[in-house]
């Protein structure tokens, strides 16, 4: 909470008279900051302070001279809100900072940190970006930020967490539209690769002998040739599901929504029609296990 002093409102954490530069927020709050700190931590301020000062009487541009000039400077309007400065300045000055509340807040500060060219705060924010909470709740935005800042490990981690999302859902359009095609393409490729590779795997006769070999006869009586339409319908339903949710964690499970699909029930209940046989067409547990094996072999991250 800003405090008023001598008709001016200083932020309580940045009111020391020993600090020789005064920054002013868009709300008019003043922040006293040591000029040497700004000069050494921000490329923007370094450039600004090294610009020729109108009142200078020295030709030298040594740090001492630059700082001497700054001390003559009055308040500097930084055109950022208190909300931003209350977060960014502690990072610049090495002060304790409270935890990040929302990704909106992180993104806002990161944008200004980039504008101010401040590697220290950016590095600090980078480590907070991949907290489990943010990764679970907003993986797509983290992916977009990580790609923008060219942070490959964070982008890979975030790409894995996006696999719960259907990128075709219109709710994601605002984030996708802000990304460059160069950044977006690897993510689309990952989602598509999982879907397409899954289709190839579940069509494999080696992995699913009963369903995909033709002809294949009832394993119990050895007489009836299997009619695999229930397996084909289940495969189609699984393909649509992995297209919607590329993580595939809803597939190959004995309990849960996909276990109750009409296509699943029909497939597991399909039996040999030969009188007196009645053998099940497919081994449900072994087939589910094989479906999980297929899912587990799919790529999990973008390629960097
Ligand atoms: Zn049979």
């Amino acid at each position: 909470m800003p405090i008023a002093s001598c008709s001016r409102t200083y932020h309580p954490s940045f009111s020391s008279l020993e600090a020789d530069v005064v920054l002013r927020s868009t709300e008019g709050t003043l922040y006293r900051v040591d000029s040497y700190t700004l000069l050494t931590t921000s490329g923007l301020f370094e450039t600004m302070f090294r610009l020729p000062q109108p009142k200078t009487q020295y030709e030298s541009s040594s740090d001492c001279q630059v700082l001497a000039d700054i001390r003559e400077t009055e308040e500097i309007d930084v055109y950022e809100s208190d909300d931003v400065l209350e977060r960014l300045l502690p990072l610049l000055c090495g002060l304790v900072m409270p935890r990040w509340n929302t990704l909106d807040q992180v993104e806002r500060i990161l944008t200004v940190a980039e504008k101010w060219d401040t590697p220290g705060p950016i590095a600090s924010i980078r480590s907070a970006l991949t907290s489990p909470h943010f990764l679970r709740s907003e993986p797509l935005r983290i992916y977009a930020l990580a790609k923008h800042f060219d942070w490959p490990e964070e982008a890979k981690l975030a790409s894995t967490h996006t696999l719960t999302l259907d990128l075709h859902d219109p709710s994601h359009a605002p984030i996708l539209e802000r990304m460059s095609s160069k950044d977006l393409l690897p993510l689309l490729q990952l989602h598509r690769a999982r879907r397409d590779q899954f289709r190839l795997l579940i069509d494999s006769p080696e992995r699913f002998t009963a369903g995909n070999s033709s002809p294949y006869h009832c394993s119990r009586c050895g007489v009836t040739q299997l009619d695999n339409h229930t397996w084909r319908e289940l495969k189609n339903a699984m393909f649509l599901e992995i297209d919607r949710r590329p993580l595939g964690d809803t597939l190959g499970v004995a309990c849960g929504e996909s276990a109750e699909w009409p296509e699943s029930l029909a497939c597991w209940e399909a039996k040999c029609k030969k009188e007196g046989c009645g053998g099940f067409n497919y081994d449900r547990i072994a087939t589910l296990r094989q479906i999980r094996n297929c899912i587990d072999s799919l790529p999990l991250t973008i390629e960097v």
Side-chain angles (χ1 to χ4, degrees):
M1 184 68 70
I3 55 171
S5 169
C6 303
S7 77
R8 292 168 150 191
T9 306
Y10 284 91
H11 191 281
S13 301
F14 296 93
S15 57
S16 167
L17 291 175
E18 290 180 12
D20 52 352
V21 168
V22 178
L23 306 181
R24 183 165 51 208
S25 71
T26 47
E27 290 94 332
T29 310
L30 303 175
Y31 297 76
R32 284 192 174 278
V33 187
D34 186 63
S35 56
Y36 188 75
T37 302
L38 289 174
L39 183 75
T40 51
T41 58
S42 160
L44 177 77
F45 281 100
E46 185 188 16
T47 305
M48 184 192 300
F49 292 166
R50 287 190 187 283
L51 286 174
Q53 302 294 310
K55 291 181 183 174
T56 185
Q57 52 186 301
Y58 305 97
E59 291 182 356
S60 151
S61 62
S62 69
D63 281 358
C64 288
Q65 174 54 46
V66 170
L67 298 183
D69 290 341
I70 290 163
R71 289 191 185 98
E72 296 176 8
T73 308
E74 295 195 351
E75 292 142 15
I76 301 174
D77 278 311
V78 289
Y79 303 104
E80 303 295 348
S81 65
D82 285 330
D83 188 37
V84 167
L85 296 181
E86 284 173 351
R87 286 273 167 177
L88 184 54
L89 291 179
L91 283 174
L92 270 180
C93 300
L95 302 177
V96 176
M97 208 190 60
R99 288 181 56 179
W100 298 98
N101 298 320
T102 66
L103 196 56
D104 277 342
Q105 188 182 47
V106 175
E107 193 169 359
R108 208 161 51 244
I109 311 305
L110 199 49
T111 303
V112 180
E114 185 182 31
K115 194 162 72 182
W116 285 17
D117 186 12
T118 57
I122 289 174
S124 168
I125 297 170
R126 178 178 182 176
S127 63
L129 198 64
T130 51
S131 73
H133 169 67
F134 288 151
L135 276 174
R136 271 197 306 273
S137 59
E138 306 206 55
L140 196 55
R141 285 178 66 190
I142 294 179
Y143 174 81
L145 283 170
K147 288 300 279 185
H148 173 79
F149 282 92
D150 198 18
W151 297 333
E153 289 310 311
E154 286 80 357
K156 284 174 75 173
L157 186 59
S159 75
T160 302
H161 282 77
T162 68
L163 294 175
T164 57
L165 307 178
D166 177 2
L167 296 183
H168 307 296
D169 190 302
S171 64
H172 302 309
I175 300 174
L176 298 181
E177 284 166 2
R178 288 209 311 265
M179 293 172 63
S180 71
S181 54
K182 179 176 135 302
D183 291 348
L184 180 56
L185 200 58
L187 192 66
L188 295 176
Q189 283 171 337
L190 170 66
H191 282 230
R192 192 168 54 226
R194 285 183 67 89
R195 185 197 65 185
D196 293 349
Q197 289 181 29
F198 180 67
R199 168 167 265 178
L200 286 176
L201 291 169
I202 57 172
D203 280 341
S204 158
E206 289 75 32
R207 286 177 177 265
F208 302 95
T209 312
N212 295 334
S213 304
S214 183
Y216 189 84
H217 294 89
C218 168
S219 56
R220 188 165 182 184
C221 67
V223 173
T224 313
Q225 188 175 323
L226 293 198
D227 166 7
N228 283 319
H229 77 275
T230 58
W231 170 239
R232 283 194 296 274
E233 284 167 14
L234 177 57
K235 284 197 293 186
N236 196 45
M238 289 194 292
F239 179 75
L240 294 175
E241 175 68 1
I242 203 164
D243 190 38
R244 186 188 69 81
R245 188 178 168 93
L247 186 59
D249 56 336
T250 47
L251 299 175
V253 291
C255 308
E257 197 180 316
S258 73
E260 303 300 324
W261 289 347
E263 293 88 347
S264 300
L265 298 175
C267 192
W268 309 137
E269 287 166 6
K271 288 180 182 175
C272 175
K273 301 243 179 342
K274 184 176 180 296
E275 194 177 338
C277 177
F280 286 108
N281 285 6
Y282 312 105
D283 180 332
R284 174 173 163 269
I285 296 302
T287 307
L288 288 175
R289 193 181 301 128
Q290 187 58 260
I291 292 168
R292 288 305 320 157
N293 289 342
C294 295
I295 301 281
D296 291 344
S297 70
L298 300 175
L300 267 174
T301 70
I302 55 162
E303 292 179 14
V304 178

